[in-house]
Amino acid sequence: MTPTSSHFTVIGNEVNPEWTPADIRSMIHTAKRVRVWFRKNDGTIRSLIGTVDPDYLKAIGKEPKGGQRFVPDYQICLFDTEKGEWRSFCSDSMIQVEVMS
């Protein structure tokens, strides 16, 4: 099953283990903003509000340098709008995701 925005509208939705990193990236790229929860390497849980919306990134001058940067297939990369920095994490460490309006 491929995720769509409707699968992510409720906080608490667990990430379906059948979704591939490409499925998750596709959902993030179609949303304006998402909140994701993931487990860090030290075991703590972190959440962030992020985006890959090109219009937003251009407006704040945070477009990826040199165009699209390389991200390994198993990682998710997005701009953390709260910290003002790019973040990436392993897709298998993602716990929950919510599409924000």
Side-chain angles (χ1 to χ4, degrees), residues 9-60:
T9 54
V10 178
I11 293 177
N13 268 357
E14 292 186 15
V15 174
N16 185 328
E18 293 179 15
W19 294 336
T20 67
D23 291 333
I24 295 168
R25 265 194 298 283
S26 176
M27 185 279 305
I28 290 171
H29 281 265
T30 59
K32 290 290 184 186
R33 283 187 319 154
V34 293
R35 178 182 291 271
V36 296
W37 290 262
F38 60 94
R39 188 172 310 278
K40 292 173 50 171
N41 288 338
D42 67 4
T44 59
I45 295 178
R46 160 116 159 75
S47 74
L48 65 84
I49 296 175
T51 187
V52 291
D53 178 30
D55 294 332
Y56 175 83
L57 297 171
K58 185 176 183 177
I60 64 168

Side-chain angles (χ1 to χ4, degrees), residues 62-78:
K62 292 293 185 174
E63 296 168 292
K65 301 217 185 320
Q68 196 71 2
R69 71 178 210 160
F70 173 76
V71 177
D73 286 342
Y74 60 88
Q75 284 192 330
I76 306 296
C77 182
L78 64 158

